[in-house]
Amino acid sequence: MNKGKICVSVGAETADETIAQIKRAQDSADVIEIRFDCIEPEQTFKTSAYLASEKPLLLTYRPQEQGGKAVNDLDNRQAWWTELVINNEMVETRNLWFDYEYDLTNLRKVSNQMIIRSFHDFSGVPKNLPEIFESLSVESEIAKIAVKADDITDTIAVWNLLEKAKAENKPIIPIAMGEAGKWTRILGLAHGALMTYAALESGKETAPGQVSAQDLIEVYRVKELNEETEVYGILGGNTSVSLSPYIHNEAFKFHNLNAVFVPLQTKDLNGFMRRMVKPETREVELNFKGFAVTIPHKQSIIKHLDFIDETARKIGAVNTVKIIDGKLHGYNTDAHGFIEPLKTCYGDLTAVKVAVLGAGGAARACLYALQKEDANVTIFARDLSKSQKLVEDFQVELKELPTAKTQKPKTDFKDFDILVNTTPLGMRGEAEGETPAVAAQLAGLQLVYDLVYVPFKTRLLAEADLAEVPKIGGLAMLIAQAMEQQKIWTGRDAPMLEMSRAALKRLR
Ligand code: NAP
């Protein structure tokens, strides 16, 4: 166990709801932050009711320019604090923490309270972070510095304040806000951060990138992590919807490994590799041991590898990286993850006629795996000219997939045995509810396999039900490819049941 604390942040419009939230936070929090700026102004001074908590309370009244809801005016805020702290004997009788922004220089300790001196930048990362840290950490106050990270490399400067604070023996809470900075909230305690802030529940975040207290404790086990913890992560353009942290952390927990899997949202892959991964050039020491790689980095990661395995090379995409002695080894587990559930469900695929819809990265992995099983594959793509490279690489038949825009007659798939959807049609977001084929087109097929896994039951799978065609959803592939990743990273057989349960729990 490390010594860090989880601070659950609460704050609703009414006093009653805030008090209810404080009660709900008792089990998971070490410290509960009351965001007074979120509460209706006339209800903020019901102090005795707020203070009925078994856990230490952190009182915060955040102005708008620091990401809160209180008015920015300094005199106004100082008056608010004076009213709360100076004129209220309840406050003096308890062991409380206070969060004073950097500009509230007139406010110091009333008695023995812990003071957090905070600075927030929601627009980016100021260049003078070390100076800001120096100015905040005076008179044994705790410096809290939260900056907005648009890309993962934006996190480096704030993360490195931990080393500075350690060297100067000063307490610090460094946070990179936003999805790209989520990992700092997860790994901070292991590297000496005094505290990490958590949302009471998913959907109740009080700052960008905040993780729920339940996830910090049960999924990421943040208090059990230390500097020796092996770090794995999902490397992608948008990691906020990924199920991988839930699946992989469940496997690490099952095997009782000192390892954690974190979101690593990355735009600038070259910068990430150079500044955070490669031993010769990196500026942080995070003990990275491997990555799951997703859109849009599956191809662009290849130039950063020291070794690529044969399957990944033939597919032309890498979804798994293992780091051994600082060297990056690339693999592709999508092909294995795709074919295993299919063979289990369908059996021998020799000469079986398969229609694969879509011609992107996932289609390449499916094609590779199907051709290895001697299946007879036809690709259906909306843009034939874009798909020529795939045709050349795999010597496969290509047909046009009519779309709503082209208004051509819908394809009839009755001459095929299996239909595989590798397009994002039906996926949560813009394409949810859409389908590449309706029931009438599916009649006569023996199996429909949809790679999309969010939502759990896509429109295509519902159409397969209508056509009375057996189906496989994308979760089966997701779990199978993740199990193979675990095998590559840890050498152990992954716990399928536990990993599937973790994914389903999240999906529901
Ligand atoms: P990708 O490389 O972007 O390829 C997507 C393909 O779908 C492209 O050929 C694209 O055509 C086509 N497409 C996109 N929108 C379309 C539309 N509205 N109508 C017809 N075709 C359309 O993506 P990917 O990596 O292959 O992933 C595709 C899907 O598979 C995603 O939903 C992903 O979540 C899922 N997937 C699931 C698993 C799993 O484990 N279950 C693993 C990998 C991927 P253009 O080139 O013309 O845009």
Side-chain angles (χ1 to χ4, degrees):
M1 293 288 272
N2 56 56
K3 292 188 192 141
K5 296 183 192 307
I6 294 178
C7 175
V8 177
S9 194
V10 305
E13 274 185 21
T14 66
D16 287 349
E17 176 51 20
T18 305
I19 290 159
Q21 290 185 0
I22 294 171
K23 282 194 187 129
R24 294 214 295 283
Q26 298 292 324
D27 287 344
S28 53
D30 298 309
V31 176
I32 300 170
E33 177 186 46
I34 308 179
R35 284 287 300 272
F36 279 104
D37 53 289
C38 297
I39 305 169
E40 287 290 340
E42 66 278 9
Q43 299 197 31
T44 53
F45 292 104
K46 284 188 170 185
T47 326
S48 53
Y50 294 124
L51 300 191
S53 160
E54 292 158 22
K55 297 287 171 69
L57 292 170
L58 166 61
L59 313 187
T60 301
Y61 187 61
R62 183 96 59 235
Q64 285 155 13
E65 55 109 354
Q66 288 281 294
K69 294 189 177 160
V71 288
N72 292 330
D73 179 74
L74 185 61
D75 292 341
N76 199 307
R77 283 188 290 127
Q78 262 168 353
W80 187 92
W81 278 110
T82 309
E83 172 92 359
L84 184 85
V85 178
I86 312 295
N87 300 341
N88 197 316
E89 71 277 9
M90 275 303 294
V91 169
E92 285 188 57
T93 56
R94 280 191 49 113
N95 178 19
L96 293 169
W97 297 39
F98 292 91
D99 181 317
Y100 292 149
E101 283 82 30
Y102 67 100
D103 57 348
L104 288 167
T105 43
N106 288 346
L107 296 176
R108 295 277 172 210
K109 275 186 191 201
V110 179
S111 53
N112 283 329
Q113 295 97 353
M114 301 277 262
I115 304 292
I116 294 176
R117 191 60 72 169
S118 65
F119 171 86
H120 297 74
D121 191 331
F122 282 78
S123 62
V125 186
K127 292 225 173 342
N128 58 337
L129 277 186
E131 290 78 31
I132 292 172
F133 170 62
E134 289 299 337
S135 70
L136 295 178
S137 60
V138 289
E139 296 180 28
S140 73
E141 293 179 352
I142 301 153
K144 177 192 177 193
I145 302 185
V147 295
K148 178 75 194 327
D150 284 329
D151 183 52
I152 195 151
T153 49
D154 296 338
T155 61
I156 295 170
V158 72
W159 181 257
N160 278 341
L161 290 176
L162 272 170
E163 286 305 316
K164 182 172 167 58
K166 217 181 286 172
E168 296 173 15
N169 202 16
K170 290 175 175 171
I172 188 169
I173 306 170
I175 299 166
M177 295 184 286
E179 181 65 26
K182 211 176 235 177
W183 69 269
T184 65
R185 297 179 181 275
I186 296 165
L187 298 184
L189 302 189
H191 289 255
L194 188 92
M195 198 146 81
T196 187
Y197 288 72
L200 176 61
E201 285 133 14
S202 188
K204 289 220 163 16
E205 297 78 12
T206 55
Q210 226 174 42
V211 182
S212 73
Q214 191 183 8
D215 279 1
L216 282 184
I217 295 166
E218 292 176 12
V219 177
Y220 296 106
R221 300 181 291 154
V222 291
K223 295 219 265 183
E224 294 168 40
L225 310 180
N226 52 38
E227 289 188 9
E228 278 74 53
T229 300
E230 297 192 342
V231 179
Y232 297 83
I234 173 100
L235 203 53
N238 175 12
T239 54
S240 65
V241 290
S242 176
L243 292 179
S244 297
Y246 301 93
I247 297 170
H248 285 300
N249 282 315
E250 196 64 28
F252 291 145
K253 190 158 68 176
F254 180 86
H255 289 302
N256 206 14
L257 298 177
N258 187 11
V260 68
F261 187 98
V262 298
L264 299 168
Q265 182 160 298
T266 305
K267 281 195 274 193
D268 174 11
L269 184 65
N270 295 342
F272 173 69
M273 284 296 160
R274 182 170 46 82
R275 300 184 61 197
M276 298 181 75
V277 179
K278 295 278 180 171
E280 315 80 50
T281 51
R282 68 185 173 215
E283 299 163 35
V284 288
E285 292 301 328
L286 290 170
N287 205 18
F288 281 133
K289 293 293 176 192
F291 307 116
V293 186
T294 187
I295 299 171
H297 302 312
K298 283 186 182 183
Q299 276 99 36
S300 43
I301 188 96
I302 292 174
K303 67 172 180 287
H304 298 285
L305 301 174
D306 299 289
F307 164 87
I308 182 164
D309 112 306
E310 191 58 9
T311 302
R313 195 186 56 73
K314 284 191 175 145
I315 294 169
V318 162
N319 78 330
T320 309
V321 173
K322 179 174 181 166
I323 303 177
I324 309 167
D325 296 332
K327 302 275 184 234
L328 273 63
H329 298 237
Y331 304 87
N332 186 306
T333 67
D334 278 339
H336 170 91
F338 164 75
I339 209 75
E340 281 306 302
L342 183 56
K343 285 200 312 197
T344 306
C345 196
Y346 193 89
D348 186 9
L349 292 162
T350 311
V352 171
K353 285 180 266 171
V354 186
V356 173
L357 316 190
R364 293 181 72 91
C366 296
L367 203 45
Y368 172 84
L370 286 164
Q371 287 186 338
K372 266 192 99 177
E373 298 296 322
D374 293 323
N376 188 351
V377 187
T378 304
I379 292 283
F380 287 83
R382 63 176 173 183
D383 186 335
L384 297 181
S385 58
K386 256 169 103 178
S387 313
Q388 287 312 315
K389 174 87 173 69
L390 181 131
V391 171
E392 277 166 32
D393 289 350
F394 292 92
Q395 296 299 306
V396 66
E397 189 180 354
L398 174 70
K399 289 191 173 166
E400 186 177 352
L401 179 67
T403 62
K405 272 190 199 147
T406 53
Q407 297 196 331
K408 289 190 182 159
K410 286 186 173 142
T411 311
D412 188 341
F413 295 105
K414 70 173 182 313
D415 291 336
F416 291 90
D417 301 305
I418 298 173
L419 178 139
V420 179
N421 175 41
T422 78
T423 78
L425 286 168
M427 196 162 97
R428 178 138 308 151
E430 280 172 23
E432 187 164 359
E434 292 184 34
T435 180
V438 293
Q441 296 168 271
L442 304 176
L445 284 164
Q446 292 179 44
L447 188 72
V448 168
Y449 190 170
D450 196 349
L451 264 53
V452 176
Y453 54 86
V454 190
F456 182 60
K457 186 162 183 183
T458 58
R459 165 93 188 276
L460 177 64
L461 296 184
E463 296 290 337
D465 278 348
L466 285 176
E468 297 184 357
V469 176
K471 60 186 191 293
I472 309 177
L475 193 63
M477 173 174 170
L478 184 76
I479 297 297
Q481 65 79 28
M483 288 172 67
E484 193 66 7
Q485 291 181 317
Q486 281 285 324
K487 185 101 188 170
I488 289 170
W489 292 331
T490 69
R492 297 172 193 234
D493 289 331
M496 184 166 82
L497 205 63
E498 285 74 9
M499 291 165 81
S500 306
R501 268 200 214 121
L504 274 173
K505 186 175 159 194
R506 186 68 189 173
L507 275 177
R508 283 180 182 142

